[in-house]
Amino acid sequence: MPVLSWQKDPLLFDVHPKESNQWLNANELLESGRKKEVFIADGEILNLYPIMIRRNDFLRRKASDRVLARFPFLRLTTEEREVFERYELLVAERLRNYFYFSIDRRILEWRSLLRHYLKERGAVPLPFLRCLPSPSSPFLRDRLFESARGELFTLPSTLTPELAYLCGVINGDGSLSKYILNIVDFSLTNIQQLQERFTRLFKLHGRIQQQTENCPTLIITNLWVVRLFSFLTGQPISGKKYATLREPLLYRGNASLRSAYWSGVMDTDGSYTQNRVILASASEKFAQDFVHFLLDQNIQSSFKKRGDNTYQVYIPRKYHQNYKDKMLCYHPEKVKDFLKLREGKTKNPTQPRVFVDFKKEAIIHGYFNFHLLKEMQITGLGSYLRLSRGNATLVSFAKKLGITPSFLQQLEHGKSAIAIGILSKLLKIKNESLLSFLTKQVSTIRFRKYKSIPVRLDLQPSATLRRIIKQMVFYQKAILIKSTDPSFLAKIQKHFAVQLTGKYLKNSTIRYFLTTFCNLRVLSEGSKAGF
């Protein structure tokens, strides 16, 4: 068997050590017919080893270089540890050979180092796996890594819509450097939802830096996360990105991944204001890639160079419905315009409509995004407001909430309902999320729009709610209940704490709630509406 070394390891992508901006990425490998090297096993698992490890990592530039500290450490399974212990002398010999011309150690020194890692860390530098008795491509699905400093993290090993979405966000408003990934946005709430995504996918919380009020930045410090995104998208590590921006080839064969990717791009460089769908980019090639994506979805668009040397893609209104069916929006500020866009305008607003499904983009972590209900008010919080004020005066506390002292007094005495926007300000002061608060108070509060009768509303989608809505036909000013079963009608009344008017539900609050969080379609001509 030939001696395996880092210089000749066929698993590594680049033939010779190269600087980071010359490393082969997924786009280049696919274009050169090397797709099999990107995946292992059944062709769906990413080959993470050559993405995380590059020949350049092994170069010793000075005697004091700590070469092994450059690599991620892999937390070992019980079986892997037993193999290392059983074949420690053979592994030590292979380590000497693999790291030859990088680290000059004798076999027994390698064995001592291996024993130290197994005993003290239960983890070894990732290249050690290439020195096992059967050095096949490491199968790194759902594995836990740690940096030389002991920071734990993981890398996704499959292409998922959430990973594709983050690739789009990074191509839009992200930058990469050797160890750091930055994402900048005008919305702190959006930065926070992106932070949650990184925590889910990478087990890295990152940190948020806000030098100015309108420029919060998410900072992820991890060498291998940077390498993964650079590999998947082709975005360079350091240097200007716009010359290299393009749609990642990995996503072109999968409709959901492709849609998720461009949804991420639109959440950064796109806009939906005034019922206009526009993408603006400093990269001509990137903007043209978006045009080609739209054409593949049967969506026409216009392309032009603007006076500021950026490029604009504009989607005419006649194609909005098709666009809306293909894309998602998770940006908490832009989603408001996106939802208005999704509602569209029908030629005849009195046409009956029926339930299709819950709007995925209006749901966060399995709960309805009540921040979208700007016109909603909540009753039953008088005592909570009084306790929250504590020893503060009506004047000082009202000023914090942006309301008058007299109105605050009405709220505390239960004579008025508090708007969600005002409640959100209070919760921000108390460092509590709206969702967490509503979950705690759900049994005592009621919701209303303007002066309508307060009702009970669901905080999250459920099978019960879905069954109820499926029996509804939405008209301009009322909701018809198709079922005539008295027990079912009673169930609706109890569910929402509302009275039906015959077979109609006439409550603007419930209608506002359901039309915000449900996709509806016009009832086809000739279909019975349940009369």
Side-chain angles (χ1 to χ4, degrees):
M1 179 179 176
V3 173
L4 184 65
S5 72
W6 64 270
Q7 295 167 306
K8 301 295 182 181
D9 190 344
L11 195 59
L12 300 177
F13 288 140
D14 301 295
V15 177
H16 304 291
K18 296 180 180 180
E19 294 302 317
S20 61
N21 286 344
Q22 297 178 309
W23 290 344
L24 285 171
N25 57 54
N27 293 329
E28 294 164 336
L29 289 170
L30 265 62
E31 285 178 328
S32 60
R34 298 170 62 182
K35 183 178 179 179
K36 289 184 178 180
E37 296 179 43
V38 178
F39 298 96
I40 58 176
D42 55 3
E44 295 182 0
I45 308 300
L46 282 172
N47 190 7
L48 289 177
Y49 184 83
I51 297 174
M52 301 175 75
I53 308 298
R54 298 286 183 162
R55 291 193 207 274
N56 204 45
D57 296 328
F58 295 89
L59 292 180
R60 178 178 290 278
R61 296 173 178 84
K62 53 184 183 293
S64 60
D65 280 353
R66 298 172 61 242
V67 175
L68 290 178
R70 299 173 184 169
F71 302 108
F73 280 66
L74 178 69
R75 286 286 187 92
L76 297 176
T77 65
T78 302
E79 293 77 10
E80 287 168 339
R81 182 168 182 156
E82 289 174 353
V83 172
F84 272 113
E85 291 172 340
R86 187 181 309 127
Y87 297 100
E88 63 175 22
L89 200 58
L90 174 61
V91 170
E93 181 182 5
R94 292 187 173 186
L95 285 169
R96 182 202 59 181
N97 297 334
Y98 193 82
F99 284 91
Y100 194 61
F101 284 121
S102 175
I103 300 175
D104 183 19
R105 290 179 188 268
R106 295 185 178 89
I107 293 176
L108 293 182
E109 290 176 323
W110 278 111
R111 185 176 69 172
S112 296
L113 184 63
L114 176 61
R115 286 176 174 176
H116 169 75
Y117 285 145
L118 295 177
K119 180 181 178 181
E120 300 298 328
R121 300 186 68 155
V124 296
L126 189 54
F128 278 37
L129 267 68
R130 296 293 285 154
C131 302
L132 287 170
S134 301
S136 59
S137 179
F139 194 77
L140 301 175
R141 185 171 191 172
D142 302 324
R143 297 301 300 271
L144 195 61
F145 302 95
E146 60 182 60
S147 67
R149 295 176 299 171
E151 182 184 36
L152 298 179
F153 68 97
T154 187
L155 291 187
S157 57
T158 55
L159 300 179
T160 63
E162 186 163 41
L163 180 60
Y165 173 80
L166 287 177
C167 284
V169 169
I170 291 166
N171 278 172
D173 275 344
S175 62
L176 305 176
S177 60
K178 185 175 181 180
Y179 295 98
I180 298 174
L181 182 157
N182 287 330
I183 301 175
V184 181
D185 193 79
F186 66 88
S187 166
L188 177 59
T189 309
N190 185 49
I191 289 296
Q192 289 169 337
Q193 72 95 5
L194 291 173
Q195 184 181 44
E196 290 174 1
R197 292 179 186 277
F198 273 95
T199 302
R200 279 198 302 275
L201 277 181
F202 300 96
K203 299 191 186 306
L204 290 170
H205 193 58
R207 61 188 175 92
I208 295 176
Q209 179 175 294
Q210 194 164 3
Q211 293 180 338
T212 62
E213 184 178 351
N214 296 320
C215 192
T217 304
L218 174 62
I219 301 173
I220 304 293
T221 305
N222 186 283
L223 170 71
W224 301 284
V225 171
V226 169
R227 290 185 178 186
L228 177 66
F229 280 108
S230 178
F231 177 78
L232 294 176
T233 67
Q235 183 168 325
I237 299 174
S238 73
K240 295 182 178 180
K241 67 182 179 182
Y242 294 108
T244 62
L245 276 185
R246 62 185 296 186
E247 179 186 31
L249 297 182
L250 279 174
Y251 300 142
R252 286 202 177 169
N254 185 301
S256 64
L257 296 179
R258 202 177 182 196
S259 174
Y261 170 78
W262 285 111
S263 293
V265 173
M266 286 297 291
D267 272 5
T268 54
D269 289 342
S271 66
Y272 302 107
T273 56
Q274 299 178 344
N275 213 26
R276 289 156 55 89
V277 182
I278 294 174
L279 172 72
S281 176
S283 168
E284 181 179 10
K285 169 91 170 75
F286 194 54
Q288 288 177 338
D289 279 355
F290 185 53
V291 171
H292 294 313
F293 162 73
L294 295 172
L295 284 174
D296 288 343
Q297 316 305 315
N298 297 315
I299 300 171
Q300 297 290 328
S301 62
S302 64
F303 175 88
K304 72 174 184 180
K305 184 176 182 179
R306 304 196 298 194
D308 59 356
N309 288 325
T310 61
Y311 301 88
Q312 174 183 294
V313 179
Y314 170 76
I315 301 174
R317 194 165 180 176
K318 64 186 286 189
Y319 296 103
H320 282 188
Q321 187 59 52
N322 195 5
Y323 174 87
K324 293 176 285 186
D325 291 340
K326 300 292 192 303
M327 303 289 279
L328 296 170
C329 179
Y330 295 107
H331 193 294
E333 302 297 329
K334 295 182 180 183
V335 74
K336 292 176 287 188
D337 290 322
F338 183 75
L339 288 173
K340 292 177 184 177
L341 190 71
R342 288 190 66 87
E343 290 166 3
K345 289 188 177 181
T346 59
K347 293 181 180 179
N348 181 4
T350 62
Q351 283 183 286
R353 294 180 295 163
V354 293
F355 175 73
V356 177
D357 202 353
F358 296 114
K359 293 178 179 177
K360 293 179 182 178
E361 69 278 5
I363 297 171
I364 299 178
H365 306 314
Y367 287 83
F368 294 123
N369 183 5
F370 271 73
H371 284 290
L372 302 175
L373 301 173
K374 296 298 184 184
E375 300 172 32
M376 192 69 79
Q377 301 171 343
I378 302 177
T379 65
L381 292 177
S383 299
Y384 173 79
L385 287 167
R386 181 66 190 88
L387 288 171
S388 297
R389 179 160 65 89
N391 295 325
T393 65
L394 281 169
V395 174
S396 63
F397 197 64
K399 187 176 181 180
K400 288 182 179 180
L401 300 181
I403 58 178
T404 63
S406 59
F407 183 58
L408 174 58
Q409 194 169 34
Q410 290 180 29
L411 291 174
E412 289 184 355
H413 287 85
K415 295 179 180 179
S416 294
I418 185 170
I420 279 187
I422 297 173
L423 177 60
S424 296
K425 287 183 180 179
L426 172 59
L427 294 174
K428 189 174 182 180
I429 294 171
K430 301 183 72 172
N431 197 28
E432 185 174 5
S433 71
L434 177 62
L435 176 58
S436 172
F437 173 80
L438 294 177
T439 303
K440 295 175 186 175
Q441 303 287 337
V442 66
S443 61
T444 58
I445 59 176
R446 294 289 184 270
F447 299 86
R448 80 178 191 193
K449 182 184 178 186
Y450 302 130
K451 298 295 183 180
S452 63
I453 298 173
V455 297
R456 184 187 296 120
L457 296 178
D458 298 68
L459 298 185
Q460 60 187 132
S462 67
T464 299
L465 181 61
R466 183 183 290 272
R467 283 194 295 270
I468 290 174
I469 306 174
K470 281 187 174 182
Q471 290 297 317
M472 293 179 172
V473 181
F474 291 76
Y475 286 89
Q476 190 173 14
K477 294 184 178 180
I479 299 173
L480 169 72
I481 308 300
K482 293 189 289 183
S483 174
T484 58
D485 181 359
S487 63
F488 186 78
L489 298 178
K491 182 178 181 180
I492 293 177
Q493 293 184 127
K494 183 178 180 182
H495 188 88
F496 292 111
V498 69
Q499 289 294 317
L500 296 179
T501 306
K503 57 187 177 183
Y504 288 98
L505 175 57
K506 296 181 179 180
N507 185 283
S508 60
T509 302
I510 296 174
R511 180 181 180 81
Y512 176 45
F513 168 74
L514 294 177
T515 54
T516 298
F517 296 120
C518 298
N519 282 319
L520 305 175
R521 65 172 175 82
V522 174
L523 198 62
S524 57
E525 231 176 287
S527 297
K528 292 184 179 180
F531 287 99

